[in-house]
Amino acid sequence: MAKIKPSKGHPYARILGVGGYRPTRVVPNEVILETIDSSDEWIRSRSGIETRHWANDEETVAAMSVEASGKAIANAGITAEQIGAVVVSTVSHFKQTPAVATEIADKLGTAKAAAFDISAGCAGFGYGLTLAKGMVAEGSAEYVLVIGVERLSDLTDLEDRATAFLFGDGAGAVVVGPSAEPAIGPTVWGSEGDKSETIKQTVPWTDYRDGEVAKFPAITQEGQAVFRWAVFEMAKVAKEALDAAGITADELDVFIPHQANERIIDSMVKTLKLPESVTVARDVRTTGNTSAASIPLAMERLLATGEAKSGDTALVIGFGAGLVYAATVVTLP
């Protein structure tokens, strides 16, 4: 019986570079108030959001991804031809097939990289990062491009008082490659499908196609249920990720949670008992909730502003529709 030759992978992987793209149009709360009965003070107090970015016709899912990826590749110090796989997390690419990852891989000039999309909502970046780490370790790709990208303005019901102010557009990308030491910790991830109704698309595409509903499908959620789940259950997951990496809260430099809501972020910081020395990402204030793009966008901003620095130890956690979640500890590029 023949024996399969073992893979020639790398024992460890790390994030080598990060890049982000935010659409040029900045949308303040005043624009949202044109279609819902609310106030700027109410939106800020409930979510922390002051502005968000909305894409124009040219700022497609693919176009934003290419821009963010180009920055990540340059920051990683490699070329596009060295990318062995492209993993794209998105829920707002409206072509069922082919995967938008294939278009992105081609436009970047990769050498026929493996390319595929995943759908894991706001936890999508964490899922992609875990897959990339595995590919580098297994040897199927030396460098993996992980992209989180959304055009959630296309899936926003501007008359829904509970969600109209939440969502924004953008793309964040990282390059994952070999490391001489552990730099991406074990992932704590999972799903709670019994709660899938708390965040969902209003109706299937087929209902709109067949004329059963007149309004284009949008994302809706049960705000209080989501808030309670995120605050109480996700803090436990974040603690599990710290434990899995052998890191204590006192040893942490940076906390980058999914940018869903600043009240959720504040509650998680309190529950985890993070010291004041830990830098906390609050990109939600000016970027809104960009789902799969929120963690890499927040990471990119912290590094660009100097609030975080290369080599810092960061806890990242994403959570959202499904309900799904993923948390891990990483060394920042």
Side-chain angles (χ1 to χ4, degrees):
M1 183 181 292
K3 292 184 178 181
I4 297 174
K5 186 178 180 180
S7 300
K8 294 182 178 180
H10 300 273
Y12 306 119
R14 70 183 300 119
I15 299 174
L16 299 173
V18 60
Y21 180 83
R22 294 171 175 80
T24 54
R25 183 188 177 193
V26 178
V27 180
N29 289 337
E30 285 73 19
V31 172
I32 307 299
L33 297 175
E34 294 173 4
T35 52
I36 60 171
D37 181 18
S38 187
S39 68
D40 178 62
E41 190 279 331
W42 186 89
I43 293 174
R44 291 180 187 233
S45 65
R46 298 288 291 184
S47 67
I49 298 172
E50 303 167 8
T51 61
R52 72 284 292 147
H53 294 254
W54 283 355
N56 59 33
D57 291 343
E58 286 73 39
E59 291 167 322
T60 63
V61 165
M64 292 190 292
S65 296
V66 168
E67 289 292 329
S69 298
K71 296 175 185 177
I73 291 169
N75 289 334
I78 64 169
T79 65
E81 290 86 353
Q82 292 175 273
I83 297 293
V86 178
V87 183
V88 178
S89 178
T90 185
V91 299
S92 47
H93 175 59
F94 291 154
K95 287 184 180 179
Q96 193 72 35
T97 192
V100 71
T102 59
E103 178 183 351
I104 295 166
D106 178 64
K107 288 184 174 179
L108 286 171
T110 66
K112 298 182 179 179
F116 58 95
D117 299 349
I118 60 174
S119 177
C122 305
F125 176 75
Y127 276 50
L129 189 63
T130 303
L131 293 173
K133 175 186 174 183
M135 282 186 264
V136 172
E138 189 272 337
S140 57
E142 186 172 18
Y143 298 101
V144 182
L145 180 64
V146 180
I147 304 166
V149 57
E150 302 292 2
R151 272 183 56 122
L152 293 181
S153 57
D154 291 332
L155 286 168
T156 299
D157 181 354
L158 293 178
E159 297 178 347
D160 182 355
R161 189 173 185 270
T163 61
F165 60 91
L166 286 175
F167 301 121
D169 303 337
V174 299
V175 172
V176 176
S179 174
E181 58 186 12
I184 301 176
T187 300
V188 178
W189 57 353
S191 65
E192 298 185 33
D194 60 316
K195 300 180 181 67
S196 61
E197 291 295 301
T198 56
I199 307 174
K200 63 180 183 179
Q201 185 172 302
T202 49
V203 296
W205 301 114
T206 49
D207 285 4
Y208 182 74
R209 179 199 65 188
D210 298 339
E212 295 180 27
V213 295
K215 183 176 284 189
F216 192 75
I219 297 174
T220 187
Q221 69 175 28
E222 298 173 14
Q224 287 302 315
V226 173
F227 182 87
R228 289 192 298 270
W229 176 77
V231 168
F232 296 109
E233 298 303 320
M234 292 304 98
K236 297 176 186 176
V237 171
K239 179 61 167 60
E240 289 179 33
L242 288 173
D243 292 342
I247 299 293
T248 66
D250 290 338
E251 295 174 300
L252 203 61
D253 299 309
V254 185
F255 180 41
I256 312 177
H258 166 47
Q259 302 294 291
N261 180 307
E262 193 165 35
R263 290 174 62 211
I264 292 175
I265 294 171
D266 289 339
S267 296
M268 292 183 72
V269 168
K270 183 177 180 181
T271 302
L272 288 168
K273 298 179 180 179
L274 297 183
E276 292 186 5
S277 59
V278 175
T279 298
V280 180
R282 300 184 185 278
D283 195 43
V284 66
R285 293 174 178 171
T286 56
T287 307
N289 180 344
T290 56
S291 188
S294 79
I295 290 175
L297 277 174
M299 183 184 295
E300 184 258 356
R301 174 161 281 173
L302 289 176
L303 289 167
T305 60
E307 296 173 80
K309 62 183 185 298
S310 175
D312 278 353
T313 300
L315 169 63
V316 299
I317 178 170
F319 45 85
L323 295 170
V324 295
Y325 55 88
T328 188
V329 175
V330 304
T331 301
L332 295 183

